[in-house]
């Protein structure tokens, strides 16, 4: 789904760089691995691969451009320009990247004879690209536009509707390219969703750390001055000892969490420390709402 960009205006260059990097990763996966192996794993890229096979004079980039243009028009009619936002750019930019790659580095055949290896890259590269794009609050366009229209005007479960459409494209590919290719496409369709979710969580993952220490002031200085982070401090009472202790809760990156643990190992080896992974932290110093 499309969301408003999470970067402020002053960070527009960073936002644009990440958006285009994500689209480029997706385009590379489509051109180098999906197209030569006929991996039509749903979505607009899957339909484009099939259409390019049925009409050899039409390349995948051109087919992708036509399909995305039609979807953008539908999006503008049913959703409006404000809702579509950067999705319009993403739709055409992805098509352009694929078309340029087709001109610069044609792929008449796969890199290797190992179809499973090719499938891994066909899933991984677009998944990384999609994760980067989603992480900055944008969309790759295509079937996301259909999803937004369905969400607005129907009571359908969008995820299920898109999965059904992807499977229909996979069945089409299986009938056109053979059962083996169809099964690879089906495997890739399910793997794609899992890998995208995993990549997004990996990008956003932080460590939520709770510390009980006998040297609270030293811990506070380390968090504030060395890690440049803050913490929530509260008083708790031990159930066994009945003794009141100060408890610190903070959110850190992986590197900062390791630094804090090493500090406690030196400064207070008897400190009690819990570390919990969080897939997303929203608030000052992290991601905005």
């Amino acid at each position: 789904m499309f969301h408003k960009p999470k970067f402020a205006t002053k960070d527009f260059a960073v936002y644009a760089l990440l958006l285009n990097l994500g689209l480029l990763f997706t385009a590379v996966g489509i051109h180098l691995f999906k197209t030569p192996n006929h991996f039509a794993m749903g979505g607009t890229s899957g339909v484009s691969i099939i259409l390019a096979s049925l009409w050899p004079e039409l390349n995948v980039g051109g087919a992708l451009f036509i399909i995305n243009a039609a979807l953008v028009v539908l999006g503008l009619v049913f959703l409006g320009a404000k809702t579509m936002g950067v999705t319009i750019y993403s739709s055409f930019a992805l098509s352009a990247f694929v078309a340029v790659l087709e001109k610069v580095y044609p792929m008449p055949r796969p890199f290797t004879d190992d179809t499973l290896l090719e499938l891994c890259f066909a899933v991984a590269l677009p998944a990384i690209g999609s994760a980067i794009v989603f992480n900055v609050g944008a969309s790759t366009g295509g079937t996301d536009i259909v999803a937004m229209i369905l969400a607005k005007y129907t009571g359908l479960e969008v995820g299920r509707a898109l999965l059904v459409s992807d499977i229909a494209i996979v069945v089409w590919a299986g009938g056109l390219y053979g059962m083996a290719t169809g099964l690879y496409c089906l495997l890739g369709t399910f793997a794609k969703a899992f890998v995208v979710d995993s990549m997004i969580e990996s990008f956003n993952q932080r460590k939520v750390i709770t510390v009980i220490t006998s040297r609270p002031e030293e811990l506070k200085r380390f968090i504030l001055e060395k890690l440049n982070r803050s913490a929530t401090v509260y008083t708790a009472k031990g159930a066994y000892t009945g003794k009141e202790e100060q408890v610190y809760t903070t959110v850190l990156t992986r590197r900062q969490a390791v630094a804090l643990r090493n500090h406690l190992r030196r400064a207070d080896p008897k400190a009690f420390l819990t570390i919990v992974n969080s897939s997303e932290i929203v608030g000052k110093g992290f991601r905005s709402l």
Side-chain angles (χ1 to χ4, degrees):
M1 294 295 183
F2 170 72
H3 303 281
K4 293 181 179 179
K6 295 181 175 62
F7 288 106
T9 302
K10 65 180 180 180
D11 297 320
F12 178 76
V14 176
Y15 171 79
L17 176 63
L18 291 174
L19 174 61
N20 283 288
L21 181 63
L23 293 173
L24 183 58
F25 266 104
T26 303
V28 168
I30 292 172
H31 175 62
L32 296 185
F33 297 100
K34 284 188 177 182
T35 301
N37 290 284
H38 301 136
F39 289 150
M41 297 183 291
T44 53
S45 64
V47 176
S48 299
I49 291 169
I50 292 174
L51 293 180
S53 295
L54 295 175
W55 288 280
E57 65 276 7
L58 181 66
N59 59 24
V60 174
L64 196 59
F65 182 88
I66 293 170
I67 295 170
N68 281 336
L71 290 174
V72 165
V73 171
L74 285 175
L76 290 173
V77 170
F78 290 101
L79 301 172
K82 184 176 180 180
T83 301
M84 289 289 288
V86 77
T87 303
I88 299 173
Y89 170 80
S90 298
S91 298
F92 291 118
L94 180 59
S95 305
F97 285 148
V98 173
V100 169
L101 288 170
E102 287 175 327
K103 293 291 185 182
V104 174
Y105 194 86
M107 285 292 296
R109 63 187 62 83
F111 279 118
T112 72
D113 295 326
D114 190 335
T115 308
L116 186 58
L117 178 63
E118 297 270 330
L119 179 66
C120 290
F121 281 91
V123 170
L125 287 173
I128 292 171
S130 296
I132 293 172
V133 171
F134 295 157
N135 199 51
V136 299
S139 161
T140 55
T143 50
D144 285 349
I145 299 173
V146 178
M148 288 189 285
I149 295 173
L150 288 174
K152 183 175 181 179
Y153 290 100
T154 73
L156 292 175
E157 293 185 27
V158 175
R160 183 176 297 177
L162 292 179
L163 178 61
V164 170
S165 69
D166 285 346
I167 292 176
I169 295 169
V170 166
V171 171
W172 189 7
L176 185 62
Y177 303 121
M179 180 61 72
T181 299
L183 291 174
Y184 276 119
C185 291
L186 185 62
L187 178 62
T189 298
F190 290 113
K192 178 177 65 175
F194 174 78
V195 175
V196 169
D197 288 343
S198 299
M199 290 299 303
I200 292 174
E201 287 190 5
S202 177
F203 287 154
N204 296 327
Q205 192 176 82
R206 294 294 184 267
K207 305 291 185 179
V208 180
I209 299 176
T210 301
V211 184
I212 302 174
T213 178
S214 59
R215 307 176 72 171
E217 290 302 317
E218 187 172 341
L219 173 63
K220 182 170 72 172
R221 284 196 301 272
F222 183 82
I223 294 173
L224 295 176
E225 298 173 10
K226 298 296 183 181
L227 301 181
N228 293 316
R229 288 294 182 186
S230 187
T232 299
V233 185
Y234 53 95
T235 302
K237 181 183 290 187
Y240 179 73
T241 63
K243 182 181 179 182
E244 289 190 346
E245 299 277 4
Q246 282 193 323
V247 180
Y248 282 72
T249 298
T250 186
V251 179
L252 305 175
T253 64
R254 291 185 183 92
R255 181 183 58 80
Q256 291 170 333
V258 171
L260 177 60
R261 186 170 181 174
N262 290 337
H263 166 75
L264 289 172
R265 185 181 290 115
R266 294 188 303 268
D268 186 8
K270 294 184 178 180
F272 186 83
L273 175 72
T274 59
I275 302 177
V276 178
N277 289 330
S278 176
S279 61
E280 186 166 7
I281 300 294
V282 178
K284 186 176 180 179
F286 294 94
R287 296 168 64 89
S288 59
L289 289 171

